[in-house]
Short mmCIF file of all heavy atoms in Angstrom, two decimals:
data_model
loop_
_atom_site.label_atom_id
_atom_site.label_comp_id
_atom_site.label_asym_id
_atom_site.label_seq_id
_atom_site.Cartn_x
_atom_site.Cartn_y
_atom_site.Cartn_z
N PRO A 153 -48.54 -16.98 18.43
CA PRO A 153 -49.33 -18.07 19.07
C PRO A 153 -48.48 -18.87 20.15
O PRO A 153 -49.13 -19.45 21.00
CB PRO A 153 -49.68 -18.93 17.85
CG PRO A 153 -49.68 -18.00 16.64
CD PRO A 153 -48.52 -17.00 16.96
N ASP A 154 -47.21 -18.88 20.03
CA ASP A 154 -46.38 -19.65 20.91
C ASP A 154 -45.91 -18.84 22.12
O ASP A 154 -45.20 -19.41 22.96
CB ASP A 154 -45.21 -20.33 20.21
CG ASP A 154 -45.66 -21.26 19.14
OD1 ASP A 154 -46.72 -21.97 19.36
OD2 ASP A 154 -45.02 -21.31 18.10
N ARG A 155 -46.24 -17.60 22.09
CA ARG A 155 -45.62 -16.70 23.13
C ARG A 155 -46.59 -16.78 24.36
O ARG A 155 -47.79 -16.63 24.29
CB ARG A 155 -45.62 -15.19 22.60
CG ARG A 155 -44.41 -15.08 21.59
CD ARG A 155 -43.11 -15.15 22.25
NE ARG A 155 -42.09 -15.01 21.16
CZ ARG A 155 -40.78 -14.59 21.44
NH1 ARG A 155 -40.49 -14.27 22.68
NH2 ARG A 155 -39.89 -14.46 20.53
N THR A 156 -45.93 -16.85 25.53
CA THR A 156 -46.65 -16.78 26.74
C THR A 156 -45.86 -15.90 27.68
O THR A 156 -44.88 -15.29 27.35
CB THR A 156 -46.70 -18.24 27.42
OG1 THR A 156 -45.40 -18.62 27.78
CG2 THR A 156 -47.41 -19.18 26.48
N ARG A 157 -46.29 -15.69 28.89
CA ARG A 157 -45.61 -14.90 29.97
C ARG A 157 -44.15 -15.46 30.05
O ARG A 157 -43.23 -14.70 30.39
CB ARG A 157 -46.37 -14.92 31.20
CG ARG A 157 -47.67 -14.11 31.18
CD ARG A 157 -48.17 -13.86 32.56
NE ARG A 157 -48.68 -15.10 33.19
CZ ARG A 157 -49.96 -15.42 33.26
NH1 ARG A 157 -50.85 -14.68 32.68
NH2 ARG A 157 -50.30 -16.46 33.89
N ARG A 158 -44.02 -16.78 29.98
CA ARG A 158 -42.70 -17.37 30.30
C ARG A 158 -41.52 -16.94 29.28
O ARG A 158 -40.43 -16.75 29.64
CB ARG A 158 -42.90 -18.91 30.14
CG ARG A 158 -41.54 -19.73 30.37
CD ARG A 158 -41.81 -21.24 30.31
NE ARG A 158 -42.48 -21.53 29.05
CZ ARG A 158 -41.83 -21.76 27.86
NH1 ARG A 158 -40.53 -21.56 27.82
NH2 ARG A 158 -42.52 -22.04 26.81
N ASN A 159 -42.00 -16.71 28.04
CA ASN A 159 -41.03 -16.24 27.00
C ASN A 159 -41.45 -14.91 26.46
O ASN A 159 -41.10 -14.63 25.26
CB ASN A 159 -40.92 -17.20 25.93
CG ASN A 159 -42.18 -17.65 25.17
OD1 ASN A 159 -43.21 -16.92 25.45
ND2 ASN A 159 -42.08 -18.67 24.37
N ALA A 160 -42.06 -14.01 27.25
CA ALA A 160 -42.45 -12.70 26.82
C ALA A 160 -41.24 -11.84 26.49
O ALA A 160 -40.21 -12.00 27.12
CB ALA A 160 -43.34 -12.07 27.83
N SER A 161 -41.46 -10.94 25.50
CA SER A 161 -40.40 -9.91 25.25
C SER A 161 -40.61 -8.77 26.14
O SER A 161 -41.68 -8.56 26.75
CB SER A 161 -40.58 -9.39 23.80
OG SER A 161 -40.38 -10.52 22.84
N ASP A 162 -39.56 -7.95 26.35
CA ASP A 162 -39.66 -6.76 27.14
C ASP A 162 -40.01 -5.56 26.28
O ASP A 162 -39.45 -5.41 25.18
CB ASP A 162 -38.31 -6.51 27.90
CG ASP A 162 -38.07 -7.58 28.91
OD1 ASP A 162 -39.06 -8.13 29.51
OD2 ASP A 162 -36.84 -7.90 29.18
N THR A 163 -40.91 -4.67 26.82
CA THR A 163 -41.13 -3.42 26.06
C THR A 163 -39.97 -2.45 26.36
O THR A 163 -39.05 -2.73 27.18
CB THR A 163 -42.44 -2.71 26.63
OG1 THR A 163 -42.18 -2.30 27.90
CG2 THR A 163 -43.54 -3.74 26.53
N GLU A 164 -39.99 -1.35 25.62
CA GLU A 164 -39.09 -0.24 26.04
C GLU A 164 -39.48 0.27 27.46
O GLU A 164 -40.66 0.00 27.85
CB GLU A 164 -39.25 0.85 25.02
CG GLU A 164 -38.69 0.52 23.64
CD GLU A 164 -38.68 1.64 22.62
OE1 GLU A 164 -38.40 2.79 23.06
OE2 GLU A 164 -38.99 1.45 21.45
N PRO A 165 -38.62 0.98 28.09
CA PRO A 165 -38.99 1.42 29.39
C PRO A 165 -40.25 2.29 29.44
O PRO A 165 -40.40 3.13 28.59
CB PRO A 165 -37.78 2.17 29.87
CG PRO A 165 -36.66 1.64 29.07
CD PRO A 165 -37.23 1.19 27.81
N ALA A 166 -41.05 2.03 30.42
CA ALA A 166 -42.36 2.82 30.55
C ALA A 166 -42.09 3.99 31.38
O ALA A 166 -41.26 4.10 32.28
CB ALA A 166 -43.42 1.97 31.21
N GLN A 167 -42.83 5.12 31.04
CA GLN A 167 -42.82 6.32 31.79
C GLN A 167 -44.03 6.24 32.77
O GLN A 167 -45.11 5.71 32.40
CB GLN A 167 -42.93 7.61 31.02
CG GLN A 167 -41.76 7.83 30.07
CD GLN A 167 -42.06 9.14 29.19
OE1 GLN A 167 -42.91 9.07 28.28
NE2 GLN A 167 -41.29 10.10 29.48
N ALA A 168 -43.92 6.85 33.95
CA ALA A 168 -44.97 6.73 34.94
C ALA A 168 -45.42 8.18 35.33
O ALA A 168 -44.59 9.01 35.60
CB ALA A 168 -44.58 5.98 36.16
N MET A 169 -46.67 8.41 35.33
CA MET A 169 -47.24 9.68 35.79
C MET A 169 -48.18 9.32 36.94
O MET A 169 -49.20 8.61 36.80
CB MET A 169 -48.01 10.28 34.62
CG MET A 169 -48.76 11.67 34.99
SD MET A 169 -49.58 12.50 33.70
CE MET A 169 -51.09 11.51 33.67
#
Side-chain angles (χ1 to χ4, degrees):
D154 298 324
R155 290 286 178 158
T156 64
R157 291 191 291 259
R158 179 179 54 81
N159 56 9
S161 297
D162 293 328
T163 68
E164 293 184 37
Q167 293 178 294
M169 181 178 75

